[in-house]
Amino acid sequence: MVPRKRADAQRNEKTLLDAAAAAFVASGVNVGVRDIAGRAGVGVGTIYRHFPTRADLVVAVYRHQIEACAEAGPELLAASESAHAALASWIDLFVDFLVTKHGLAGALQSDDATFQTLHGYFLERLLPVCAGLLEAATEAGEISADITALELMRGVGNLCIGADTDKSYDARRLVALLIAGLRVRPS
Amino acid sequence: MVPRKRADAQRNEKTLLDAAAAAFVASGVNVGVRDIAGRAGVGVGTIYRHFPTRADLVVAVYRHQIEACAEAGPELLAASESAHAALASWIDLFVDFLVTKHGLAGALQSDDATFQTLHGYFLERLLPVCAGLLEAATEAGEISADITALELMRGVGNLCIGADTDKSYDARRLVALLIAGLRVRPS
DNA sequence: CCAACATACGGAACGCTGTTCCGTTTACCA
DNA sequence: TGGTAAACGGAACAGCGTTCCGTATGTTGG
């Protein structure tokens, strides 16, 4: 069947994840591979063996947080007063995640082929959650319907770009404005 | 005084601007220098002599359009029914400019040191215009005041990122939502 | 018209990336 | 404990932006 992985390989994978996480915090998700390799005390070849693309490494580092964000969607919908409030809360979670990850928002929207997989993973995991919340809010008549979950997530992701390096730019406020613009006007 | 530039240098500068403009359209503002040099039929050294940084080249190529956008601000304010309408129209102009320039929006927000000058030029030229429109709309009581011109422009610029490569993403619609969110709610 | 001088040009060379590749080492198991 | 396959390290490669200098060319004073 599947032969168990060698012990040193398992160890190195964990070491690499830790090193990459530290490097991402220190220098952003675009940090050089030699930097990560140095932190982990391995050669660059070892990185590519475990994580063939940059996207694989990023996903591996942040998988838990992404999962947590995805699972929070239905929970918020069940616990919130209104669907719109649930949507707003969930977007808050998403924004919090993005702005604390140096350069991640930028990588997500990059048209670089290396990051297509990353973009794909985020969409696959989070888009259905966002779509569910959006649909609930639409059915409740709380927002105008002329936006797709994809556009909403792209817009929010875009607004988070650079929010970590420029303290005079508050992505949360702008995202809040966007969500406010979504809401149906009391006429 | 200032000795006149050599005739061939003048010719090359114009050739380079045309070649760069064509290359930007074809491959985005991050197109390789060798590509631009090839189109212009010059060596790469010639590019750096005329335009020491990438930002200088980009600004030179788009200067006219940026100026036009800047000058349109006061004109729109004078011609529009309301200050809010003028602001919306001006933002439309800005968005139109950005989304039609392959990768320019991304470069504007990039934290790459090469583009700091570019960012600076845009802000220097357009920020006062945006601030004027925003202030007029605020004084007219048409928008809530808790956003700065800088944040608004950054937000709008961010929303334009990637709008040229993904046809399922409509930056204009999202920007419109943002502007709508700015408006004071009829209570 | 023609030196001689300053200016500008071309592209090789450099340093820095990400990525690949292969000789060597290491863990596993019979 | 020896043999085998898996994994490792880092040199080597390719492709970028950038610099530099030997060569070519426009300009100008005699």
Side-chain angles (χ1 to χ4, degrees):
Chain A
M1 315 295 271
V2 285
R4 213 172 72 255
K5 254 204 278 198
R6 263 171 55 166
D8 56 343
Q10 288 183 35
R11 239 182 301 117
N12 271 327
E13 182 158 331
K14 169 125 181 50
T15 305
L16 267 174
L17 279 177
D18 292 343
F24 288 171
V25 168
S27 314
V29 295
N30 290 301
V31 63
V33 284
R34 286 167 179 83
D35 186 334
I36 302 175
R39 285 171 185 267
V42 303
V44 292
T46 301
I47 295 185
Y48 285 96
R49 195 167 311 104
H50 287 278
F51 307 100
T53 74
R54 170 61 52 119
D56 293 323
L57 185 52
V58 174
V59 168
V61 167
Y62 294 129
R63 172 161 271 145
H64 285 87
Q65 293 182 58
I66 299 170
E67 291 302 313
C69 191
E71 286 164 11
E75 293 169 9
L76 284 170
L77 189 56
S80 297
E81 296 276 317
S82 74
H84 178 276
L87 178 62
S89 299
W90 186 77
I91 294 284
D92 272 349
L93 278 184
F94 183 52
V95 171
D96 275 336
F97 171 65
L98 280 186
V99 300
T100 54
K101 307 299 176 293
H102 210 138
L104 180 58
L108 264 184
Q109 317 296 348
S110 155
D111 51 5
D112 186 339
T114 313
F115 290 119
Q116 287 305 101
T117 309
L118 185 64
H119 191 93
Y121 176 76
F122 267 79
L123 253 47
E124 177 190 325
R125 202 65 192 83
L126 298 181
L127 193 60
V129 177
C130 182
L133 288 164
L134 197 60
E135 193 183 351
T138 304
E139 282 177 3
E142 293 170 351
I143 64 171
S144 71
D146 63 347
I147 192 172
T148 66
L150 180 61
E151 270 184 319
L152 179 57
M153 288 202 66
R154 277 265 325 242
V156 171
N158 271 1
L159 285 176
C160 291
I161 292 175
D164 50 339
T165 55
D166 185 351
K167 65 176 179 302
S168 76
Y169 176 72
D170 185 352
R172 277 170 253 260
R173 185 186 305 170
L174 284 159
V175 170
L177 283 174
L178 189 66
I179 304 297
L182 259 186
R183 194 167 214 153
V184 291
R185 288 176 184 285
S187 57
Chain B
M1 316 295 273
V2 287
R4 216 175 69 254
K5 254 204 279 197
R6 263 171 56 168
D8 57 343
Q10 288 183 35
R11 239 183 302 116
N12 270 327
E13 184 158 329
K14 169 127 182 51
T15 305
L16 266 174
L17 278 177
D18 292 344
F24 288 171
V25 169
S27 314
V29 294
N30 291 301
V31 63
V33 284
R34 284 166 181 84
D35 186 335
I36 302 176
R39 286 170 185 269
V42 304
V44 292
T46 302
I47 294 187
Y48 284 96
R49 195 167 313 103
H50 287 279
F51 307 100
T53 74
R54 170 61 53 120
D56 294 322
L57 185 52
V58 174
V59 168
V61 168
Y62 294 130
R63 172 161 271 144
H64 285 89
Q65 293 182 57
I66 299 170
E67 292 302 313
C69 189
E71 287 163 12
E75 294 169 10
L76 284 169
L77 190 55
S80 296
E81 296 275 320
S82 74
H84 179 276
L87 178 62
S89 298
W90 186 76
I91 294 283
D92 271 350
L93 279 184
F94 183 51
V95 171
D96 276 337
F97 172 64
L98 279 186
V99 300
T100 54
K101 306 301 174 291
H102 209 138
L104 180 58
L108 264 184
Q109 318 295 350
S110 156
D111 53 3
D112 187 339
T114 313
F115 290 119
Q116 286 306 101
T117 309
L118 185 64
H119 191 92
Y121 176 77
F122 267 79
L123 253 46
E124 177 190 325
R125 202 64 193 84
L126 299 181
L127 193 60
V129 179
C130 181
L133 289 162
L134 197 59
E135 193 182 352
T138 303
E139 282 176 6
E142 293 169 354
I143 64 171
S144 69
D146 63 346
I147 193 172
T148 66
L150 180 61
E151 270 184 320
L152 179 57
M153 288 201 67
R154 277 252 346 226
V156 170
N158 270 2
L159 285 175
C160 292
I161 292 176
D164 51 337
T165 54
D166 185 352
K167 63 178 183 301
S168 75
Y169 176 73
D170 185 352
R172 277 170 252 261
R173 184 187 306 172
L174 284 159
V175 170
L177 282 175
L178 189 65
I179 304 296
L182 260 186
R183 192 166 216 156
V184 291
R185 288 177 183 287
S187 58

